[in-house]
Amino acid sequence: GIDIKTHSTYLAELSLGFSSVGSLIEVNDALTETAKLDIGHNLVVANPPFNIKNWHTPERLAAPWFDGFTVPPNSNANYAFILRCLYSVSPNDPHARAFVIMSNGVLNSNDSKISRKELIDKGHIEAIIQLPAKLFQNTAIPTCLLILTKHKPVDKVLMMDLSHAATPINRKQVALKDMDIYINIYHNWVQSGVLETHDDVVAVSIPTLQEFNYYLNVGKYKASHACPTLTLNPIDIAERIQSYISTLKTLQVESERLNTIILKQLETIK
């Protein structure tokens, strides 16, 4: 693993050591270093820093993970880290995935639209999971989990809204709840392409994402999925309009009656 901060690599090695897991973690710039996170991994897990500005340097811009993609803008490095993680995923293992925690800005910001478009059109975004607020101690920024692949099995993106799937730990932090349900939905989707019915889960086709300008906010698609079009015949519509008119007339009469009473009371006060 790689982290640019010394204390982060120390804590990671310490945690893995107590878990009896072998590790090779070094202090380095993940956007330029390739020796330890080169291509070919079947699992990549990352929690990059959010919204880094002025990140363009000659060494970073020459990195191989931008091949075939537009370099993200200097104003925000979010998709530079995302492309870095995707690059490290094995192109030969259909089960290989990258799991990347990012701020929700990657789902709908204007400066990342080109990157979203390229990743979606090329079929690299398998799933998007919006997470609850206060899930992480070190940030109050709303976050999401992007699941990336080089072997997406279907032409849709799985979207989950876990923003309310939380149970409080204390005043400042929450934990995810009902995770078994969501994990099973994801695995069934990956293995069979069949989506289990759930209010907080929707599969969105690539043409639909294109129609909505590649915005990836889960709520936008969950709402349209959960609210079917209401159809009424002309008789029903006429009856409802007549009912509303009758109610409005009744309210107007009552309003005039109350105004008369109020005026009389005011005259008494004078």
Side-chain angles (χ1 to χ4, degrees):
I2 295 175
D3 199 298
I4 203 167
K5 296 181 180 178
T6 303
H7 74 274
S8 297
T9 58
Y10 173 76
L11 291 173
E13 287 185 332
L14 186 65
S15 299
L16 291 170
F18 277 113
S19 302
S20 299
V21 176
S23 65
L24 179 59
I25 302 175
E26 66 173 280
V27 178
N28 216 318
D29 182 352
L31 292 180
T32 58
E33 170 66 22
T34 60
K36 305 300 185 297
L37 281 180
D38 208 345
I39 195 169
H41 298 278
N42 60 8
L43 177 62
V44 177
V45 179
N47 182 193
F50 302 157
N51 307 321
I52 299 297
K53 298 180 179 180
N54 301 318
W55 65 275
H56 281 189
T57 66
E59 294 80 10
R60 288 172 171 174
L61 296 179
W65 37 87
F66 297 131
D67 292 348
F69 294 94
T70 301
V71 175
N74 191 40
S75 59
N76 198 313
N78 285 345
Y79 271 89
F81 286 107
I82 290 171
L83 290 172
R84 173 65 168 105
C85 295
L86 176 65
Y87 175 81
S88 298
V89 173
S90 171
N92 302 317
D93 183 356
H95 302 293
R97 298 288 188 277
F99 296 81
V100 188
I101 299 289
M102 290 302 291
S103 67
N104 278 357
V106 302
L107 304 180
N108 51 29
S109 64
N110 289 330
D111 61 3
S112 65
K113 180 180 177 180
I114 293 176
S115 295
R116 293 197 306 270
K117 177 183 185 302
E118 292 175 347
L119 286 168
I120 290 169
D121 289 346
K122 294 180 180 183
H124 291 309
I125 298 181
E126 180 177 67
I128 295 169
I129 302 171
Q130 285 193 243
L131 301 172
K134 301 181 180 180
L135 187 62
F136 300 102
Q137 289 182 327
N138 61 343
T139 182
I141 297 175
T143 57
C144 61
L145 172 65
L146 274 65
I147 304 179
L148 310 174
T149 178
K150 293 179 179 175
H151 296 273
K152 194 157 75 72
V154 292
D155 60 350
K156 294 182 179 181
V157 174
L158 180 65
M159 293 187 171
M160 294 186 179
D161 183 4
L162 273 62
S163 59
H164 302 293
T167 182
I169 297 176
N170 52 49
R171 291 177 59 187
K172 296 184 178 181
Q173 192 175 14
V174 301
L176 289 171
K177 66 178 181 179
D178 300 326
M179 284 306 300
D180 289 345
I181 295 174
Y182 296 105
I183 290 172
N184 287 335
I185 290 174
Y186 168 74
H187 283 300
N188 289 338
W189 165 256
V190 171
Q191 293 167 7
S192 66
V194 176
L195 181 64
E196 298 178 25
T197 301
H198 193 287
D199 289 344
D200 294 326
V201 181
V202 60
V204 183
S205 69
I206 303 302
T208 299
L209 293 171
Q210 294 167 342
E211 179 184 348
F212 282 92
N213 291 317
Y214 298 94
Y215 285 152
L216 298 178
N217 189 290
V218 178
K220 177 187 290 291
Y221 302 100
K222 189 181 74 169
S224 61
H225 173 74
C227 300
T229 302
L230 179 64
T231 56
L232 294 172
N233 62 50
I235 295 177
D236 289 334
I237 294 174
E239 288 178 349
R240 290 192 179 198
I241 291 175
Q242 191 60 43
S243 174
Y244 296 149
I245 292 174
S246 177
T247 301
L248 180 59
K249 288 181 178 179
T250 301
L251 291 174
Q252 287 175 334
V253 170
E254 179 65 12
S255 176
E256 292 174 359
R257 186 184 71 83
L258 292 174
N259 284 338
T260 301
I261 293 174
I262 292 171
L263 289 173
K264 289 182 178 179
Q265 292 293 333
L266 288 175
E267 289 176 357
T268 302
I269 294 173
K270 290 178 182 179

